[in-house]
Amino acid sequence: MPGLGVVLVGDDPASQSYVRAKERACENIGIYSDDNRLPAETSEAELLALVNRMNTDHKINGILVQLPLPKHINESKVLMAINPAKDVDGFHPMNIGKMVAGEKAFLPCTPHGIIQLLLRSGVKIEGAEVVVVGRSNIVGKPIANMLIQKSATGNATVTICHTRTRSLAEHTRRADILIAAAGRPNTVTADMVKDGVVVIDVGVNRVEDATKKKGYRLVGDVDFEAVKEKASLITPVPGGVGPMTITMLLYNTVESAKAAAGT
Ligand code: NAP
């Protein structure tokens, strides 16, 4: 049975709900999950000790440390401590380096999920003009990198935009495939896209909504209702990239278990 070690430090509500969803998904497909909820005051040394224990625990094939970590913990030190062979989030520099070099590696789950969404929806990536809004280490940079690889899942021409981009709309209007990962509602509006564009909305934003029991609802970075009229394909929020991210985490964990078993 494949095993996933899950670590959540602190009580950030969004992180709690992501971790719950990941654990539920593990349970659904028969992955054992070693659930570690630690208080926000947990020291860096305690967290590193836990990661080290999981690094050598044969029941655990993948280690997931939910980000962000509290400010007093050095995130990159913790990610570096994860055994690259169990780095199912694909955030260890060894896996990032391999990904950039086009070698076999654990691919980060959100960008890998995006590639699978495109492939399985029959979207032609090769030669496509792709515009990525956002340059984070977990979404923008890796998805741009994966799409420029000289491979069957790459060969796109990619533009990366961020807050210092001079005219965002000038770039987004060129996109055959537009990937929005800015973390801000309405970053992409209908006037910013061309007819027939394929839109991948990565954003998950809470906006106040008094009609909801929780007092908020989730929206993406794209003005879905207006942009869907011009797009040939568009992912919803929730229900698009999020579930695919979890799926690729499970995929990486199963791959890791297979490698550990020598199959
Ligand atoms: P992040 O680290 O905050 O990065 C946001 C990026 O967007 C930055 O590079 C920022 O530019 C850029 N940006 C922000 N506003 C912009 C604007 N108006 N115009 C152009 N660029 C803009 O965020 P992240 O971790 O990549 O996450 C992005 C969103 O995706 C969030 O809503 C997050 O919750 C969501 N997310 C969802 C999943 C999932 O599984 N569904 C997974 C990961 C993330 P600068 O670099 O110049 O600041």
Side-chain angles (χ1 to χ4, degrees):
M1 181 188 269
L4 179 69
V6 181
V7 185
L8 172 62
V9 186
D11 47 17
D12 174 61
S15 294
Q16 280 175 334
S17 88
Y18 294 145
V19 163
R20 260 198 312 274
K22 288 168 186 175
E23 285 173 342
R24 215 177 302 129
C26 283
E27 207 180 303
N28 284 343
I29 70 156
I31 290 180
Y32 154 76
S33 85
D34 178 358
D35 175 18
N36 298 273
R37 310 280 169 125
L38 307 177
E41 316 77 69
T42 302
S43 70
E44 187 178 284
E46 284 170 313
L47 180 55
L48 288 171
L50 174 61
V51 168
N52 282 328
R53 175 182 72 68
M54 293 197 291
N55 277 342
T56 53
D57 182 341
H58 296 300
K59 289 197 299 300
I60 293 178
N61 305 104
I63 299 173
L64 165 82
V65 178
Q66 183 66 41
L67 302 179
L69 290 169
K71 295 260 179 296
H72 65 278
I73 298 178
N74 183 334
E75 222 162 72
S76 100
K77 204 166 162 185
V78 174
L79 295 180
M80 286 277 274
I82 295 173
N83 176 353
K86 297 188 178 186
D87 172 39
V88 288
D89 254 341
F91 293 158
H92 190 286
M94 171 103 79
N95 282 313
I96 296 171
K98 284 185 174 176
M99 174 196 74
V100 172
E103 290 172 29
K104 190 171 167 19
F106 285 123
L107 297 174
C109 302
T110 301
H112 194 188
I114 293 172
I115 302 265
Q116 291 300 323
L117 272 169
L118 293 172
L119 289 176
R120 289 160 192 251
S121 307
V123 176
K124 191 161 182 269
I125 299 175
E126 179 166 322
E129 195 72 56
V130 181
V131 176
V132 179
V133 184
R135 55 174 164 186
S136 73
N137 288 338
I138 61 167
V139 188
K141 283 183 199 163
I143 187 64
N145 223 285
M146 288 160 76
L147 289 167
I148 57 161
Q149 294 295 327
K150 198 165 186 170
S151 73
T153 57
N155 287 328
T157 303
V158 180
T159 304
I160 307 176
C161 301
H162 43 76
T163 56
R164 310 296 162 90
T165 298
R166 256 185 312 193
S167 173
L168 182 61
E170 241 170 64
H171 295 284
T172 56
R173 275 189 212 113
R174 276 199 338 265
D176 302 315
I177 301 172
L178 177 61
I179 300 174
R184 211 192 60 154
N186 289 320
T187 303
V188 175
T189 48
D191 57 314
M192 295 169 70
V193 300
K194 70 176 180 187
D195 282 328
V197 63
V198 172
V199 179
I200 304 283
D201 192 352
V202 186
V204 180
N205 308 294
R206 287 183 179 196
V207 295
E208 272 184 42
D209 186 342
T211 67
K212 303 282 175 202
K213 213 161 69 195
K214 290 179 179 162
Y216 69 84
R217 71 193 147 86
L218 295 181
V219 299
D221 291 346
V222 177
D223 178 3
F224 183 87
E225 287 306 321
V227 172
K228 81 175 189 332
E229 301 302 328
K230 291 176 88 175
S232 58
L233 291 167
I234 181 167
T235 62
V237 178
V241 173
M244 282 307 294
T245 297
I246 296 178
T247 304
M248 301 327 291
L249 175 73
L250 303 180
Y251 172 84
N252 279 350
T253 306
V254 171
E255 286 299 300
S256 178
K258 279 160 63 181
T263 56

